[in-house]
Amino acid sequence: QVQLVESGGGLVQPGGSLRLSCAASGSIFNIKAMAWIRQALGKERELVAHIINGGSTNYADSVKGRFTISRDNAKNTVYLQMNSLKPEDTAVYYCNAVIAHNDHGLTGNYWGQGTQVTVSS
């Protein structure tokens, strides 16, 4: 019903920047919330940043001041601008979205396929 397609991952040196994008398509009435979650090798998934329909945002303490989440509602797209990257930011980054399919309360929780971010010199 809904597809989330991520892009923008890659290899970057410490201190560098990357911008991740996640575009939602399919049966979308509105997008209630979108988030970026990451999982490093051998570790549990971690909520990195979250943005709700009204625009309020929330960040993990480890990325505050370095990462910025934003949305383009017209494009059903969420972005994660990552600055001052550190080796410990290395992980697979997943996009997550809570999407309403109609105005009668039918919603779904969707995940992207993940994009690798590697911070290394």
Side-chain angles (χ1 to χ4, degrees):
Q1 284 181 313
V2 170
Q3 296 78 42
L4 301 181
V5 178
E6 299 142 342
S7 61
L11 173 65
V12 64
Q13 291 186 342
S17 297
L18 283 174
R19 189 175 84 151
L20 305 183
S21 301
C22 172
S25 62
S27 177
I28 300 171
F29 179 71
N30 71 54
I31 300 178
K32 293 182 171 296
M34 299 188 84
W36 289 96
I37 292 94
R38 67 186 180 187
Q39 187 167 23
L41 195 62
K43 295 188 177 181
E44 294 184 354
R45 285 190 174 187
E46 174 190 23
L47 176 63
V48 176
H50 176 250
I51 184 166
I52 65 172
N53 204 11
S56 294
T57 58
N58 188 44
Y59 297 91
D61 287 343
S62 59
V63 307
K64 281 180 181 176
R66 300 188 298 122
F67 290 10
T68 302
I69 189 170
S70 61
R71 276 175 63 171
D72 184 332
N73 291 328
K75 296 181 178 180
N76 289 332
T77 298
V78 65
Y79 305 97
L80 185 68
Q81 178 66 43
M82 304 185 293
N83 298 328
S84 302
L85 282 161
K86 304 175 181 180
E88 51 264 43
D89 295 317
T90 295
V92 178
Y93 284 70
Y94 297 92
C95 176
N96 173 261
V98 177
I99 293 175
H101 298 297
N102 57 39
D103 60 357
H104 300 302
L106 178 64
T107 62
N109 191 340
Y110 299 92
W111 290 85
Q113 79 283 0
T115 186
Q116 177 70 46
V117 171
T118 302
V119 184
S120 175
S121 55

